[in-house]
Amino acid sequence: MTPRIRSALTRSLLGLALAAGFVAHALHWIELPLIRRLENIAYDSLVVLRADRSVASEKVIILDIDEKSLAAPELGRWPWSRNKMSDLVDILFDHYGAAVVAFDVVFPEPDRSSGLKSLKALADGALKDNQAFKRSLDELEPQLDYDGRFEEAIAARPVVLGYYFSEDASAGKIGALPAPVLVEEDLKNFQASFPGWLGFGGNLERFASAALVGGHFNPVVDVDGLVRRVPTLVRFEGEFYESLALASARMYWAITEGPQGGALRLQPIEPLGPTQDTGGLLEFLKVGKRTLPIDPASNMLVPYREFGKSFGYLSIVDILHKKAPRESLEGKVVLVGTTAPGLVDLRATPLSGIYPGVEIHANVLASLIEPERQPLMHRPTWVTFLETLTTCLGALLLALALPWLAPGASSVLFMVVAAAAAAAQWSLWHQGFVFHGATLFASALMIYLWNMAYGFFREAQAKRQFTDLFGQYVPPELVEKMAENPERYDMSGQRKELTVLFSDVRGFTSISEKLSPSELAAYINEYLTGMSLVIREEGGTLDKYIGDAIMAFWGAPVDEPRHALRAISAALRMRDQVKVLGDTFRARNWPQLAIGVGLSTGDMTVGDMGSRVRKAYTVMGDAVNLGSRLEGLTKQYGAFCLVPTPTKDACPEVVFREMDKVRVKGKLEPVTIYEPVCFVENASDLTYKELKHWQESLALMRNQQWDAALDSLTQLAAIYGNEYRTDLLREKIEQLKANPPGADWDGVTNFQTK
């Protein structure tokens, strides 16, 4: 068996193992949270896109318990008295002609705000002998019985009361539930999964009995905290209860489609399977002539419309004052809910992280009673089967084909499968079906990445062999560059702007005389290792060692746009490394270490240069020579590092000290040289003040104001401490004072040696 066939078989086997995992997810045998998250992201994106193109509802309006209503003196904080709620119901039906009123709130406790209970206690106690008081109380009782008034207001009217179920057993059973719409017997032949509920918060029993129908307002909160579905039916103690949206829709259909006059008769609910029969997997609910899509847990996908623009909002206080136009409510379904943050009915949805719970129900209700404007989405059984089938086929195809294909062909095949998954999801979505292509896409991606990673590993292994072969002849940085494309890599000379670095140990001859040969080798090896690691870490290319000297450059062979900044950073780190090595050398009783660094930025020739006997990847040019000259000048100025103007200008992130204007050997044009001090982010106010005094001393010297320049340096030393560079500048000024250069002096220091 050839190595290529063996490699392909290995890749195929692991690819098949990956495919098996994704197929198991598609079959719901295991749960892969990341895939579920991808499915949700794709689904949410389509929901948002669909919502942006949705049409506003004409039959559903939201009556808002908003901040304006809560601030109204006649209403005050929630909950309001049942007297006001009775007035609201009367006004909605008698004045505005609303078709249905549904409450996304619950009334679990008696209203005692009228004081009727206290008055009755007086009548039975301290005033039991006061017949006049008792007669007055009997006359006032119907008006003060706010709960009775509300019960009377909702009785025999198309009112839907809301309530909720709880998963917490300690919450208990509060109030009363309405009559169930289905019982266990109705669903015995269906494959369905209903979550268990342990308690409920219902309305007072008198309200639950008076209302024609009630509906729960429980959403389904997914693991990421978003509401994408609502349970159409909820199972509690063997009986099934409908949602607020479905109850409101059934009430609306009974009013608009039922017989006129007489008692309202709501259409019954009938469960259906995939073939719309009475068995198999639960997939539909039949209500009259309508077939409503649900999943096996009876959840209905929320058909979100554009947030804030699809439903009219009216403040309850305006309705109580009859300020809203009658046509805004006439013949419509009115959902009473809240958007006030303090009443805690805000949810996270694909459209917004702060979304009124009442608008979630409004979206479902609107699609139930006006499906032509925004139909309900559905995930039928055949769609889930299609997901599983496409995942199997796509993953199998990639697992078996990719190991035999070249990288380009593999990428094309992966993109074809990924595009097919996206196209299937997009196409089915526009037909009203929810297809999750994320499982197919993720399986294709993982199998593709596995094959690419395996190929990368094999390529890296080949590169290591290439490095082992050529690394002993050329710098490792160049080997890495060559190994990327060894057949076509071109080392021929080219002109580029680069930054070069030269460093040298001060007094190396004296150091070598104080150490034995073995100690000197250890000394220089430790020094070169420490500095070389800094240069490598800053992305520099080590050119060569010349005894104790180091030459390096930035910007080739790998392009580096900020080559000057990387070189400055390396120089500053080399300064820190000298201190670290100094501690080590002192502990070994070795001579102390001091170095000078010269940097230069400019156009250079870079490439493979040398003879037929030996070549090296190096740089040449005037800018290179200048860097070498500046390294030699560092000891003349007591500076650790010197750079010319082009390097300084390329590094606004660094604080520099101007040292002098010089004319080096072989150059006619003067060069302003600078010492890098630190990064701007590390500079203190004291740093800038010291540099300002230093610059003033230089300016006085160049103006040949010798005494003033010396006084400035004396002040500088008195305030900031005496430094070697300050002594050198003072000595230079004293020499100039003793031998004035003449009125035509340009302030430039000339050097005739290298």
Side-chain angles (χ1 to χ4, degrees), residues 132-181:
F133 178 79
K134 288 186 174 183
R135 285 194 299 271
S136 298
L137 181 58
D138 290 340
E139 293 175 1
L140 289 173
E141 182 172 355
Q143 300 177 45
L144 296 177
D145 183 9
Y146 291 170
D147 285 338
R149 284 203 58 201
F150 186 65
E151 179 183 357
E152 182 180 349
I154 65 176
R157 276 177 164 167
V159 172
V160 183
L161 293 184
Y163 58 94
Y164 64 90
F165 288 97
S166 174
E167 296 177 336
D168 185 2
S170 63
K173 302 175 182 178
I174 302 172
L177 293 175
V181 294

Side-chain angles (χ1 to χ4, degrees), residues 470-723:
F470 292 100
Q472 56 184 316
Y473 302 112
V474 294
E477 295 86 357
L478 182 55
V479 174
E480 293 179 7
K481 185 69 177 179
M482 294 169 61
E484 292 179 4
N485 195 345
E487 295 83 6
R488 287 192 276 173
Y489 188 79
D490 184 9
M491 293 188 296
S492 61
Q494 55 179 312
R495 195 74 171 169
K496 293 183 68 175
E497 183 186 85
L498 308 173
T499 298
V500 69
L501 175 148
F502 288 89
S503 74
D504 196 15
V505 176
R506 303 262 180 87
F508 184 70
T509 301
S510 175
I511 291 173
S512 63
E513 292 173 351
K514 297 176 182 178
L515 297 174
S516 67
S518 60
E519 288 178 322
L520 180 61
Y523 186 101
I524 198 65
N525 287 344
E526 192 150 348
Y527 157 70
L528 291 175
T529 299
M531 298 304 165
S532 300
L533 287 175
V534 169
I535 292 170
R536 290 276 186 86
E537 289 168 3
E538 289 296 336
T541 299
L542 278 169
D543 188 321
K544 61 178 68 73
Y545 301 131
I546 310 170
D548 59 300
I550 300 174
M551 178 180 176
F553 53 90
W554 280 260
V558 179
D559 290 337
E560 171 53 68
R562 302 303 307 277
H563 48 80
L565 181 62
R566 296 298 297 273
I568 289 287
S569 179
L572 293 174
R573 288 184 59 190
M574 289 170 73
R575 181 177 63 185
D576 297 336
Q577 186 66 21
V578 166
K579 298 176 182 177
V580 175
L581 291 174
D583 295 337
T584 302
F585 291 176
R586 272 193 299 272
R588 299 181 183 179
N589 293 320
W590 288 353
Q592 283 305 295
L593 176 67
I595 69 172
V597 177
L599 297 178
S600 178
T601 300
D603 286 342
M604 308 173 190
T605 299
V606 59
D608 193 14
M609 303 177 199
S611 67
R612 287 181 294 177
V613 177
R614 184 175 180 181
K615 292 185 178 182
Y617 189 75
T618 188
V619 291
M620 299 180 68
D622 286 344
V624 179
N625 296 334
L626 178 60
S628 177
R629 301 289 188 275
L630 295 184
E631 181 276 316
L633 292 179
T634 54
K635 54 182 173 288
Q636 304 291 333
Y637 289 90
F640 173 82
C641 177
L642 291 176
V643 306
T645 300
T647 306
K648 168 189 172 293
D649 291 346
C651 302
E653 299 90 345
V654 179
V655 176
F656 291 90
R657 174 188 287 108
E658 182 180 347
M659 298 302 294
D660 201 357
K661 294 180 181 179
V662 301
R663 188 176 287 110
V664 299
K665 181 176 176 60
K667 297 278 290 186
L668 296 178
E669 294 297 324
V671 177
T672 304
I673 57 176
Y674 303 85
E675 178 186 26
V677 178
C678 62
F679 285 102
V680 171
E681 61 193 35
N682 298 326
S684 64
D685 293 340
L686 188 64
T687 303
Y688 288 112
K689 289 179 181 178
E690 189 269 334
L691 291 176
K692 181 180 179 183
H693 279 82
W694 174 270
Q695 194 65 35
E696 289 174 353
S697 301
L698 283 182
L700 291 169
M701 180 193 71
R702 288 167 181 165
N703 289 330
Q704 301 190 34
Q705 296 175 262
W706 316 120
D707 292 334
L710 291 171
D711 289 343
S712 177
L713 282 179
T714 301
Q715 295 174 19
L716 179 66
I719 297 173
Y720 305 104
N722 205 23
E723 291 185 336

